[in-house]
Amino acid sequence: MKLRCAVLDDYQSVASTAADWSPVAGEVDVVCFADHCASEDELVTRLSEFDIVVTLRERVPFPATLIERLPRLRLIVASGMRNASIDYAAAERHGVTVCGTASTATPPVELTWALLLGLARGIVTEADALRDGGPWQSTVGADLYGRRLGILGLGKIGSRVAAVGLAFGMDVVAWSANLTQDRADEVGVGLAASKEELMETSDFVSVHLVLGERTQGLLGAKELGLMKPGSYLVNTSRAAIVDQDALLDVLRRGAIAGAGVDVFDVEPLPAGHPMRSAPRLLATPHLGYVSQANYAAYYGHAVEDIRAYLDGAPVRRLG
């Protein structure tokens, strides 16, 4: 009898065409779901008859309470090689193998700059006005050249964002709890003396940190209150790094010029969520990793992971 594989949250209905699933077709029935299950009970109902689950990024948490309610589950394939939403110890206890896939930093770097440039030049406002018969030019763009770009986190993504900022002729500085002068010199940027100095002096602030105990709520009301009235914040990392209520407050008061956000405390974002109507906000539905090349890597490696598991030699194991 064939195994059954559920591909979760395939919002764009592309999982079946982004990769060649024929290597496992003879042994696995693949079912793709375009909608999102918002509760654990819904997930149990959906997944109870599946042996394999393919999940994108951290869209669906797999805590111990869920894993223990899915006795048929044998393999989880998660995109990327790091996923904080899976309880690996619980998976091991219940005999569930967890595997990852390749991922590239390029798409989130590109989206970061799409948001930053969109904010700086009022792209959405002007494009909407042009289409809807509104005023011919209503905004005055913010220059990048010579302005300060403050980057929180100088890892794989942050360093590439920095390189683009330098190409624009920006004064780029960075900070994180473990950032050293040697690393800043390697990337060719300044090292901010503190998080507070970065927030106070930057015209644009971009967040590129991993969410953890030290970074949860790293930017709260105090930190956002240090930003210049004409400055902009961009977050393509994780929503919980920035206090969401504090961000809404500064946007509503006009305490900063604007924010570009690709990540939210609840995803998909509910219809009535205040982030959907906040002023001075350019928001996208977590598109940071959503690109043709990344999807080809995610789903292509998912097929490889499933094939390797079927052959008794799992690859790219996580946990």
Side-chain angles (χ1 to χ4, degrees):
M1 188 173 73
K2 283 187 175 184
L3 298 180
R4 301 194 73 209
C5 171
V7 179
L8 298 180
D9 295 323
D10 181 21
Y11 298 141
Q12 300 100 331
S13 299
V14 297
S16 61
T17 57
D20 177 12
W21 292 80
S22 62
V24 300
E27 299 169 68
V28 179
D29 282 328
V30 179
V31 181
C32 300
F33 295 97
D35 61 326
H36 178 72
C37 288
S39 72
E40 185 173 297
D41 287 342
E42 288 178 302
L43 281 167
V44 170
T45 299
R46 172 161 292 180
L47 300 178
S48 61
E49 300 301 318
F50 287 91
D51 311 275
I52 302 167
V53 173
V54 176
T55 181
L56 275 180
R57 305 306 295 161
E58 296 169 353
R59 289 178 179 175
V60 178
F62 279 84
T65 52
L66 174 60
I67 293 171
E68 66 190 16
R69 295 175 69 188
L70 298 173
R72 184 166 164 172
L73 184 62
R74 287 293 171 264
L75 174 65
I76 298 173
V77 178
S79 58
M81 291 301 293
R82 178 172 57 206
N83 191 309
S85 70
I86 298 172
D87 188 327
Y88 296 106
E92 184 176 4
R93 286 197 306 272
H94 291 275
V96 179
T97 300
V98 184
C99 297
T101 74
S103 181
T104 173
T106 302
V109 172
E110 294 172 352
L111 184 71
T112 294
W113 280 100
L115 290 171
L116 194 152
L117 288 166
L119 286 166
R121 300 306 299 267
I123 297 297
V124 174
T125 298
E126 297 291 0
D128 286 348
L130 185 68
R131 180 181 296 275
D132 298 335
W136 183 263
Q137 298 182 354
S138 64
T139 64
V140 178
D143 297 283
L144 302 188
Y145 182 82
R147 307 290 292 283
R148 171 163 285 195
L149 170 63
I151 298 177
L152 292 165
L154 204 58
K156 190 177 353 179
I157 295 174
S159 59
R160 295 187 186 187
V161 170
V164 177
L166 292 170
F168 273 118
M170 301 184 78
D171 169 28
V172 184
V173 297
W175 178 89
S176 70
N178 297 320
L179 184 60
T180 64
Q181 186 66 59
D182 286 345
R183 173 59 178 166
D185 291 343
E186 179 185 345
V187 178
V189 304
L191 176 63
S194 65
K195 172 183 61 176
E196 289 76 16
E197 184 203 42
L198 182 144
M199 300 299 289
E200 283 180 325
T201 63
S202 297
D203 301 292
F204 299 87
V205 175
S206 194
V207 181
H208 302 288
L209 295 163
V210 175
L211 178 62
E213 289 184 5
R214 289 194 302 174
T215 58
Q216 177 120 10
L218 184 73
L219 301 184
K222 175 186 173 184
E223 290 77 16
L224 296 179
L226 296 174
M227 295 180 69
K228 300 177 181 180
S231 62
Y232 299 86
L233 175 72
V234 176
N235 185 11
T236 58
S237 222
R238 288 292 182 269
I241 296 172
V242 180
D243 183 299
Q244 300 296 282
D245 290 336
L247 177 57
L248 285 168
D249 178 61
V250 295
L251 290 173
R252 289 166 176 160
R253 292 190 292 106
I256 63 174
V261 172
D262 186 49
V263 286
F264 306 92
D265 53 359
V266 179
E267 296 184 9
L269 204 59
H273 196 284
M275 281 290 182
R276 286 187 177 268
S277 57
R280 303 174 183 84
L281 179 67
L282 176 56
T284 48
H286 207 153
L287 299 178
Y289 58 89
V290 180
S291 76
Q292 294 173 354
N294 244 8
Y295 270 16
Y298 289 168
Y299 292 119
H301 277 188
V303 175
E304 292 180 9
D305 289 349
I306 295 169
R307 182 68 264 168
Y309 175 81
L310 295 174
D311 294 339
V315 295
R316 292 184 284 269
R317 296 189 70 163
L318 303 179

